[in-house]
Amino acid sequence: MHRPQKLFSMAASALFAVVASANLPTVAGQVPEVAGVPAQARAAAESINADRIRAHVRFLSLDLLEGRGPGTRGAELAAEYIATQFAVNGVAPAGDGGTYFQHVPLIAVHTDEEKTKFSLVHKGGQPVSLAYGTEIVSKDQTGASTADIDAPIVFVGYGIHAPEYHWDDYAGVDVKGKVALVIVNEPPSDDAKFFKGKALTYYGRWTYKYEEAARRGAVGVLIIHRTDLASYGWEVVRNSQAIEKSYLQGDPDATLRAAAWVQHDVAQRLFTMAGMGDLDQAIDKAGKPGAFHAVELPIKLQGHVESRVRRFDSTNVVGRVAGAAAGGNAVLYSAHYDHLGIDANAKGDNIYNGAADNATGCGILVEMARAFAQSQERPPHDIYFAAVTAEEQGLLGSQYLGMHPPVPAGQIALDLNYDMVLPIGIPRSANLGGAERIDFWPTVQTVAKEFDLQLLPDPTPGAGHYYRSDHFSLARVGIPAFSVDEGELFEGHDEAWGHAQFADFVAHHYHQPSDEFQTGWDFRGNAKLARFGFVLGWLASENAKPLEWQPGDEFEAPRKSSEQLQH
């Protein structure tokens, strides 16, 4: 009976810590003089304070907030906290109906593995049953409790339609009402002008395979898993499908009754039944320009899918600082506030507090919003701040924000995203993967040099990290976007030290209950990257013309489309 009083006391103590830090002194000399940033704006950036960020991170990662799982009381508390910070610091609401909140309707689906059955059926032959879990896994994206599938299978190679690379795996076939059989990843390349060489484009992501087939009316997709092409084993696929998966309600690109993966051996069995020969030879052929043609197989996929479904709402928190001029070149800052919630079946500590991931990004976001709002000089154009939900569920909150931005996407010059910025010291290097893809890159390089930040290339371009954080949701609607993150070089240490810190965190704390607030954390680096982002945003806002993707980039077309809507 004393729990509510205890929770109130904890909340009050944390809020007092934030309020008490409101008048912390500004330390001069931490923001270099950069052409285009006036003195009063520079002073506002100087006011960004590590201890205020610390206080926000501490509160957002308290057990009180129960891991901030979307749709839970803890997530609601986090959203209310961020909105309150916006309000007391003079940041105007930019959500639904004059509030700070943008409601995000979600649907969660859990496949009932015992009741879900799949089989392959040759014309005139007997069904060949597939063992769920070991040979096939699937989700019904529609949110129906049951679904029955009886549809022909069409092999569409990599399942990619990429006009900029003169590539269309769907040429000559109609997959409406059918099941697309696709290869994981994308055509191999060493040419930077062809699927960006060794770097993975979005065309290679499994999410794209589902979306493209859904846009063409398919009822299902079977992604062929091969470990070397996927870069992870079947157990990773199986485990990711064994848990509940969320989707946006009404998402036009999430309409598959069977969003499925199959083992390589199953796909070879399918090829043998269809008289198609060796699967690996077909995969090799499918990756060569001009060599592949889609084909409908004399095989059907039959299936009965049963799912446990729940519908719920979560919220994005959106604020605005008015600029000196109306119209285009608005800037958006984003960070996700959700995490993994509580594992009711775990013994011991079962709260996934998400202190680093991503209370740190939210602490930076809230402090930057305060600095912009309290600047003695208004930014050139409007600045928006979005704390988004359901990132851990697949970037869903930012996807909804991209579909329903506070102003049309063509009026937003840039999105800068902050996600899991470890508070371990002052960085002397930064990872800005994707920034080189926009014409703002020379400015980014100049400002980074002024901030004593070496810019490092992506060490694993084939992993597709760009497509795994919230900035991607804004990029896909055309907005130039990237995340601001630390590199591995820190003041007083060599890169090996930084590498060891990150490796230790990933091995022992990432997505674990042990990702908790640490009193010894050093937030000076978080403040530095916030000041760096402040200056970049100011310069993007005052840019004489809209920022653009580099010619030929996969996001150039949606950018141009969004800009044409403004005329």
Side-chain angles (χ1 to χ4, degrees):
M1 64 183 293
H2 297 292
R3 178 173 172 80
Q5 182 177 357
K6 180 180 179 182
L7 292 182
F8 176 80
S9 176
M10 292 170 64
S13 297
L15 286 169
F16 176 78
V18 176
V19 173
S21 69
N23 296 315
L24 290 169
T26 295
V27 180
Q30 297 186 101
V31 177
E33 293 186 17
V34 176
V37 180
Q40 290 179 321
R42 184 168 168 246
E46 293 271 13
S47 76
I48 292 173
N49 186 278
D51 285 333
R52 274 191 290 261
I53 297 174
R54 173 193 297 275
H56 296 313
V57 173
R58 179 182 177 276
F59 179 81
L60 290 169
S61 58
L62 287 172
D63 282 357
L64 169 70
L65 275 67
E66 300 171 346
R68 309 187 305 277
T72 67
R73 187 194 72 139
E76 291 180 9
L77 285 172
E80 290 285 357
Y81 174 84
I82 294 167
T84 299
Q85 292 300 316
F86 282 172
V88 299
N89 288 317
V91 181
D96 300 336
T99 72
Y100 290 100
F101 304 111
Q102 181 184 56
H103 292 279
V104 181
L106 297 169
I107 180 172
V109 177
H110 194 295
T111 303
D112 188 328
E113 298 187 10
E114 296 297 322
K115 298 178 180 179
T116 295
K117 310 293 181 185
F118 285 101
S119 59
L120 303 174
V121 183
H122 193 282
K123 290 181 179 180
Q126 294 297 312
V128 177
S129 297
L130 303 179
Y132 194 92
T134 57
E135 294 185 318
I136 187 171
V137 291
S138 183
K139 283 287 190 293
D140 181 348
Q141 298 178 330
T142 68
S145 58
T146 62
D148 290 297
I149 300 163
D150 185 8
I153 298 172
V154 182
F155 179 49
V156 292
Y158 283 94
I160 293 172
H161 174 64
E164 67 270 35
Y165 299 126
H166 307 289
W167 191 277
D168 187 5
D169 286 324
Y170 286 93
V173 296
D174 181 6
V175 295
K176 187 175 182 178
K178 302 173 185 177
V179 174
L181 177 68
V182 305
I183 307 162
V184 69
N185 212 302
E186 62 191 6
S189 172
D190 293 316
D191 181 357
K193 296 182 179 179
F194 181 68
F195 289 98
K196 293 192 178 295
K198 296 296 185 183
L200 183 73
T201 73
Y202 188 56
Y203 295 118
R205 293 279 289 154
W206 56 268
T207 47
Y208 168 81
K209 315 287 187 179
Y210 291 155
E211 292 163 0
E212 184 63 35
R215 285 190 285 268
R216 294 171 179 271
V219 296
V221 170
L222 301 175
I223 298 178
I224 301 169
H225 176 268
R226 202 175 83 179
T227 298
D228 63 321
L229 296 179
S231 77
Y232 43 81
W234 177 256
E235 285 304 307
V236 173
V237 175
R238 178 175 181 173
N239 291 341
S240 68
Q241 295 294 313
I243 59 176
E244 184 178 80
K245 165 68 176 164
S246 293
Y247 304 93
L248 287 178
Q249 293 187 35
D251 182 355
D253 292 337
T255 59
L256 300 175
R257 310 312 294 265
W261 289 74
V262 292
Q263 281 267 39
H264 178 272
D265 290 348
V266 172
Q268 179 59 71
R269 192 185 318 162
L270 173 58
F271 262 53
T272 300
M273 291 172 62
M276 295 281 290
D278 183 74
L279 172 62
D280 291 327
Q281 290 182 6
I283 290 174
D284 290 342
K285 183 177 180 180
K288 296 176 180 177
F292 175 76
H293 299 284
V295 59
E296 183 170 328
L297 308 181
I299 311 288
K300 285 187 173 184
L301 178 71
Q302 292 183 348
H304 175 75
V305 182
E306 294 202 16
S307 307
R308 298 192 294 274
V309 180
R310 65 184 180 95
R311 288 173 169 80
F312 63 99
D313 286 340
S314 191
T315 55
N316 293 330
V317 187
V318 190
R320 168 180 167 267
V321 172
N329 273 23
V331 169
L332 173 67
Y333 293 95
S334 58
H336 76 90
Y337 72 87
D338 67 292
H339 199 52
L340 302 176
I342 295 176
D343 183 352
N345 298 318
K347 296 180 180 179
D349 185 1
N350 65 349
I351 298 176
Y352 289 77
N353 302 83
D357 185 16
N358 183 37
T360 57
C362 289
I364 289 171
L365 184 80
V366 170
E367 175 64 352
M368 291 180 73
R370 181 207 59 76
F372 269 104
Q374 297 178 2
S375 172
Q376 295 301 303
E377 181 163 343
R378 292 168 66 186
H381 293 89
D382 290 353
I383 309 292
Y384 290 89
F385 302 89
V388 296
T389 186
E391 186 269 355
E392 304 289 6
Q393 296 288 323
L395 316 183
L396 298 181
S398 58
Q399 180 184 344
Y400 192 84
L401 180 69
M403 295 166 66
H404 308 278
V407 292
Q411 295 182 19
I412 300 177
L414 180 68
D415 168 61
L416 294 179
N417 185 65
Y418 287 85
D419 191 352
M420 203 174 81
V421 182
L422 292 186
I424 57 175
I426 301 176
R428 295 193 59 203
S429 63
N431 186 342
L432 309 178
E436 75 285 353
R437 300 169 63 166
I438 60 179
D439 62 5
F440 193 53
W441 177 234
T443 299
V444 173
Q445 291 176 300
T446 297
V447 176
K449 184 177 181 180
E450 293 294 336
F451 272 84
D452 188 29
L453 289 170
Q454 298 179 26
L455 297 183
L456 305 176
D458 186 349
T460 54
H465 291 300
Y466 184 83
Y467 309 100
R468 301 182 183 185
S469 197
D470 286 306
H471 61 255
F472 166 62
S473 296
L474 289 309
R476 69 190 305 186
V477 298
I479 300 169
F482 59 91
S483 285
V484 177
D485 198 5
E486 309 144 307
E488 295 183 344
L489 182 62
F490 288 80
E491 283 190 10
H493 303 281
D494 59 14
E495 286 182 296
W497 180 88
H499 181 82
Q501 302 305 305
F502 288 115
D504 178 75
F505 179 84
V506 170
H508 300 110
H509 307 295
Y510 178 66
H511 282 192
Q512 299 296 324
S514 58
D515 180 9
E516 298 179 300
F517 179 81
Q518 305 296 319
T519 57
W521 271 347
D522 182 351
F523 285 87
R524 291 177 297 167
N526 299 63
K528 178 177 180 176
L529 291 184
R531 298 182 195 108
F532 174 62
F534 183 106
V535 171
L536 288 179
W538 191 283
L539 293 173
S541 178
E542 74 162 11
N543 208 53
K545 57 187 180 68
L547 303 186
E548 303 291 348
W549 295 93
Q550 299 288 3
D553 193 274
E554 63 195 287
F555 302 118
E556 180 187 24
R559 181 60 167 174
K560 291 188 178 302
S561 296
S562 69
E563 291 171 341
Q564 289 171 359
L565 293 175
Q566 308 309 307
H567 302 295

